[in-house]
Amino acid sequence: MHIVVTIKQVPDTNEVRIDKKTGTLIREGVPAIMNPEDKHALEAALCIREELGDVKVTVLSMGPPQAGNTLMEALCLGADEAFLACDKAFAGADTLATAYTLAMALKKIAPVDLVLCGSQAIDGDTAQVGPQIAECLGIPQITYAERIKASEKSVEVESGFGAVRRRVSADLPALVTVGKAINRPRYKTMKGIAAAFRDKGVQLLTSQDIKVNPGRIGLTGSPTSVKKTFVPELGRAGRIIDGGPETLSLGIIHTLEAENLLPKS
Amino acid sequence: MSIIIDTDICTGCKRCIPACPYDALAMEGKKAVRTPACTGCGACLDACKYSAISLAGGQGRIKMDITGFSGIYVFIETLGGAISEGSLEILGKARELADSDAASRKTSRVTAVLPGHALDRMPEELIALGADHVIIIDDPRLAVYRTDYYTRVITDVIREKMPEIILFGATPLGRDLAPRIANRIKTGLTADCTGLSLCSKDGILLQTRPAFGGNIMATIVCPDNRPQMATVRPGVMRRAKRDSNRIGTTETMALTLGKKDDLIRHVEVVENTKDAIDFEDARIIIAGGRGIKGPEGFELLGKLAAALGARIGATRAAVEAGWISRAHQIGQTGKTVRPDLYIACGVSGSIQHMAGVMGAGRIIAVNSDRNAPICEMADETYVGDLFSILPELTREITERKTTAA
Ligand SMILES: Cc1cc2nc3c(=O)[nH]c(=O)nc-3n(C[C@H](O)[C@H](O)[C@H](O)COP(=O)(O)OP(=O)(O)OC[C@H]3O[C@@H](n4cnc5c(N)ncnc54)[C@H](O)[C@@H]3O)c2cc1C
Ligand SMILES: Nc1ncnc2c1ncn2[C@@H]1O[C@H](COP(=O)(O)O)[C@@H](O)[C@H]1O
């Protein structure tokens, strides 16, 4: 069985700051990390390998050369093989073009039985790439997985789906997107790190290698574009009221009264 | 730009026929040909194994013929025999867009698309809440949501009606379905929008959403492809005022499944987890943050909430500390709320939290730190220790109620 986990390198949004004057992101010094949910997807793949035995786990990313570091990390965690779709022509892709490129890369490294993605990436928060890859490949998708039971032929998934929990099953090949509730990702071990650097490496895939249609990739293949960005304006009156507990609580009661929100009985 | 089929290369394999979202390819003398329905979307390009299909004018950006598209369409999500509140909010927004000054012939009509089973009086309800037209697809096979059948149904609607805009809720269901459809018909999709408007210059949809953990807002457009698609965050838009005299039309469509539409083997709902906390009709919400210090703090908040008839919200910090369940979380990764009054206690005012309360009528804060960011984001900040202010406030309100009674 061959499982491919798609992994995105993202800026750690916890560390992102905004230049209030220019309204732009300060990216300098912001660490690049493996998208958190992708780590859970990788963990899920490694668990399936441990359970079923004869399983190969491949990781795949599309991104600039630095994204290779994140794939290296995945190899250290135990992935068997890593591919990075890396080409200037891929740059500027929206989800449609990203999913197309990843799907074509998956066709290149076929046969693939199970594709695992994070349900969403923390930089764009779109949650669109997984389902779009599945559609490109014409295979079933099951999203927001909290439990995965895989066999050689099929997969059964339980997911939190808003107001309900669902159990969905599909024949392989299939694509599953994974949320954080599914597992606790393991840590790197010295042995894993040594093995990754000694025996494994990241293989590059260019647009030539994966036979993409040039009209479908990168900026050219992206129907959406960003018209403008701005810093959210959340400011309000900002009145500060000081005093002891009684004064303050009376102040709040005045506001409640003024808004006609004080219960009568 | 338009699609060219090289008849010398075409083998007549017919693979491209089902790939066309608009049914615009046909066979003529064992060769594929375009019919006038072709929008130039390019979905057939990848289907051809022999590279017989290409774009006129080389390999630039695919530009569709967008002239034939019109109308704002809203996908209606139902659960347990009821229309979801989020869908009604989006319908309200669609109505507002259609009635706005920037609306044109292409964006003046609102259609609700209602797939499901046993839909009863829902169509009338949708008309009363802003729809001009309702497309009903009632079929027992649509009773429980499944990606494959729903994708088929909505792409069929898109092919037949050619919407200018189609909107979905940014719920797990909407976010499972919309990308699959956008990919099948090769158009753009903007996720989780918190703002929608029509451009006053060219009438295209301006789709605003938070990015990078809410640190920045981005306005996204989809200029050359149709329909323009977006998922819209629940809790942000307002539903329209109910008007049972509104006039609208309905039509029914059938679910027609092909061989390739059976992708899912089995789907069942194993549990109903609809969380007990319903912020939708709350006039007052009292939220607690890390400054509440523990579950006991939330008991204090609970007493005040009971006295005021308010609901309890929380920051992610409080939820992750395990002081209160996740259903209470408000903000970027929690719920979006718009009460008349929001009282934030021991909340610092992080952008991710405040993103969820932007729509509140009034925000007041209780915080011991006069330099906390929330002081600029609230209408009023009461500077002091919440552990002495809140009990005092609860006592005072209860006392007033008993004297009034
Ligand atoms: C991608 C991303 C998404 C996120 N999504 C969300 C989200 O949806 N919702 C959310 O809430 N957060 C979210 N966060 C987390 C957010 O950034 C903050 O960490 C969090 O909101 C802080 O919670 P807090 O205000 O309770 O805690 P703190 O920031 O620690 O603030 C505690 C406040 O309590 C005050 N205080 C302390 N003691 C007292 C006292 N005795 N009396 C009065 N005041 C007191 C302090 O002065 C301080 O201002 C997200 C973060 C990221 C990166
Ligand atoms: N450039 C990329 N390379 C690899 N995987 C990606 C990429 N973009 C998105 N993904 C995958 O798709 C998931 C959802 O991403 P998004 O749709 O951007 O929220 C991620 O968790 C990844 O698994």
Side-chain angles (χ1 to χ4, degrees):
Chain A
M1 180 173 181
H2 187 195
I3 306 181
V4 180
V5 184
T6 58
I7 291 185
K8 187 175 191 186
Q9 186 182 59
V10 293
D12 186 349
T13 47
N14 280 312
E15 305 288 330
V16 170
R17 295 286 169 271
I18 296 291
D19 185 330
K20 283 249 165 71
K21 283 201 199 85
T22 61
T24 52
L25 292 172
I26 305 171
R27 293 218 198 194
E28 256 158 59
V30 177
I33 57 170
M34 184 185 305
N35 181 50
E37 287 189 338
D38 301 354
K39 217 174 217 178
H40 292 266
L42 175 59
E43 177 64 32
L46 297 174
C47 291
I48 295 171
R49 187 178 66 189
E50 279 151 17
E51 199 186 306
L52 298 186
D54 188 22
V55 173
K56 178 166 140 194
V57 175
T58 300
V59 287
L60 167 67
S61 187
M62 180 189 91
Q66 310 83 283
N69 300 340
T70 297
L71 289 177
M72 214 48 221
E73 186 188 342
L75 291 173
C76 292
L77 285 164
D80 300 302
E81 225 180 334
F83 292 93
L84 175 61
C86 184
D87 196 310
K88 282 214 172 67
F90 297 150
D94 71 1
T95 64
L96 191 71
T98 302
Y100 169 77
T101 308
L102 290 170
M104 293 309 276
L106 283 162
K107 282 188 184 168
K108 169 85 185 172
I109 55 184
V112 176
D113 301 294
L114 181 61
V115 183
L116 295 181
C117 308
S119 55
Q120 67 186 57
I122 58 169
D123 55 348
D125 288 323
T126 80
Q128 288 172 186
V129 170
Q132 292 194 313
I133 294 174
E135 174 63 21
C136 283
L137 298 175
I139 61 174
Q141 78 196 38
I142 311 178
T143 50
Y144 301 102
E146 290 177 359
R147 203 177 59 86
I148 302 176
K149 223 166 80 194
S151 71
E152 291 295 329
K153 292 227 148 32
S154 66
V155 63
E156 185 189 276
V157 171
E158 246 180 64
S159 24
F161 212 68
V164 293
R165 273 187 78 74
R166 293 160 38 105
R167 190 180 297 135
V168 182
S169 57
D171 292 334
L172 299 182
L175 180 144
V176 176
T177 79
V178 166
K180 279 190 179 176
I182 194 166
N183 54 33
R184 292 187 67 167
R186 66 195 63 192
Y187 293 99
K188 278 178 279 208
T189 59
M190 284 313 289
K191 216 172 120 207
I193 297 170
F197 281 87
R198 192 184 57 229
D199 310 326
K200 305 173 192 171
V202 175
Q203 301 166 61
L204 293 184
L205 298 171
T206 65
S207 58
Q208 299 299 319
D209 297 330
I210 50 179
K211 295 212 193 84
V212 287
N213 176 338
R216 285 249 172 272
I217 57 169
L219 210 51
T220 317
S222 299
T224 62
S225 56
V226 178
K227 195 177 164 82
K228 65 166 182 187
T229 61
F230 55 98
V231 178
E233 189 47 74
L234 300 172
R236 292 190 179 227
R239 208 156 71 82
I240 302 277
I241 301 107
D242 286 296
E246 291 84 24
T247 325
L248 294 184
S249 106
L250 278 177
I252 296 174
I253 284 180
H254 282 311
T255 298
L256 286 165
E257 259 169 358
E259 300 283 316
N260 210 4
L261 288 168
L262 206 58
K264 300 286 181 300
S265 58
Chain B
M1 215 170 290
S2 92
I3 304 284
I4 301 173
I5 303 174
D6 188 330
T7 44
D8 290 339
I9 307 176
C10 175
T11 65
C13 76
K14 299 188 187 150
R15 273 200 190 83
C16 55
I17 307 271
C20 177
Y22 299 99
D23 253 356
L25 290 170
M27 296 304 289
E28 218 177 84
K30 299 209 170 151
K31 302 279 176 188
V33 291
R34 293 165 55 227
T35 70
C38 177
T39 64
C41 74
C44 53
L45 292 175
D46 311 331
C48 183
K49 281 213 157 169
Y50 309 96
S51 305
I53 310 180
S54 61
L55 288 168
Q59 300 293 9
R61 198 182 168 94
I62 295 171
K63 273 213 160 96
M64 285 177 71
D65 174 6
I66 62 175
T67 46
F69 291 80
S70 77
I72 305 179
Y73 285 62
V74 179
F75 169 81
I76 303 296
E77 189 174 333
T78 59
L79 187 73
I83 303 170
S84 83
E85 178 61 28
S87 296
L88 295 177
E89 293 165 7
I90 300 169
L91 187 63
K93 184 66 192 187
R95 182 75 262 152
E96 189 191 310
L97 293 174
D99 294 341
S100 71
D101 291 339
S104 67
R105 183 186 53 78
K106 278 175 166 278
T107 44
S108 57
R109 205 170 126 86
V110 176
T111 300
V113 183
L114 177 63
H117 186 48
L119 301 165
D120 292 332
R121 301 189 57 79
M122 290 182 200
E124 290 100 280
E125 184 70 6
L126 292 167
I127 291 169
L129 287 164
D132 298 308
H133 187 63
V134 184
I135 299 175
I136 305 159
I137 310 109
D138 191 326
D139 192 300
R141 291 170 296 180
L142 297 173
V144 175
Y145 170 74
R146 42 187 293 167
T147 316
D148 45 4
Y149 295 179
Y150 272 68
T151 305
R152 168 86 284 145
V153 142
I154 305 300
T155 34
D156 281 352
V157 170
I158 293 172
R159 183 184 65 232
E160 206 159 293
K161 306 290 179 184
M162 301 176 69
E164 173 75 2
I165 294 170
I166 182 163
L167 306 172
F168 300 77
T171 57
L173 191 161
R175 299 182 82 171
D176 181 90
L177 175 63
R180 186 112 197 177
I181 294 169
N183 197 84
R184 190 166 294 180
I185 60 176
K186 304 286 182 281
T187 190
L189 170 64
T190 307
D192 206 17
C193 296
T194 56
L196 293 174
S197 61
L198 296 172
C199 179
S200 54
K201 279 200 218 90
D202 50 17
I204 63 169
L205 186 65
L206 304 176
Q207 313 164 62
T208 298
R209 64 182 307 262
F212 290 98
N215 286 294
I216 205 155
M217 305 295 288
T219 301
I220 315 281
V221 291
C222 176
D224 304 322
N225 295 65
R226 292 295 178 271
Q228 302 168 81
M229 285 181 65
T231 62
V232 182
R233 180 175 295 191
V236 181
M237 310 299 176
R238 284 232 159 130
R239 61 149 104 180
K241 253 213 175 80
R242 192 168 203 302
D243 175 2
S244 24
N245 295 322
R246 262 189 66 86
I247 296 176
T249 48
T250 61
E251 78 176 279
T252 55
M253 271 176 70
L255 167 71
T256 347
L257 295 174
K259 268 196 278 200
K260 290 191 171 162
D261 291 317
D262 253 310
L263 287 173
I264 300 289
R265 196 196 304 154
H266 178 72
V267 50
E268 70 185 300
V269 171
V270 284
E271 195 186 342
N272 231 315
T273 49
K274 182 159 174 56
D275 36 49
I277 301 92
D278 197 355
F279 289 115
E280 271 144 29
D281 55 352
R283 294 195 67 197
I284 310 179
I285 295 171
I286 311 181
R290 210 191 316 258
I292 282 288
K293 303 228 158 64
E296 306 77 33
F298 274 101
E299 277 169 34
L300 210 63
L301 227 57
K303 285 189 190 134
L304 176 58
L308 277 174
R311 299 262 150 75
I312 297 190
T315 66
R316 187 161 95 173
V319 169
E320 295 203 329
W323 303 339
I324 192 158
S325 80
R326 188 161 298 278
H328 292 267
Q329 185 170 318
I330 288 172
Q332 168 97 3
T333 42
K335 297 203 172 103
T336 301
V337 296
R338 45 187 325 152
D340 293 332
L341 176 67
Y342 192 74
I343 310 180
C345 306
V347 172
S348 64
S350 72
I351 196 143
Q352 290 86 9
H353 183 73
M354 299 312 283
V357 298
M358 269 187 303
R362 199 177 247 279
I363 300 177
I364 63 182
V366 177
N367 200 303
S368 50
D369 176 8
R370 61 168 57 248
N371 295 316
I374 193 147
C375 301
E376 283 175 21
M377 298 190 228
D379 296 289
E380 301 166 357
T381 300
Y382 294 83
V383 180
D385 178 17
L386 68 91
F387 292 96
S388 51
I389 300 169
L390 298 190
E392 174 63 21
L393 183 57
T394 311
R395 197 188 55 72
E396 186 74 30
I397 291 166
T398 319
E399 196 164 284
R400 286 180 183 227
K401 280 207 292 198
T402 37
T403 41

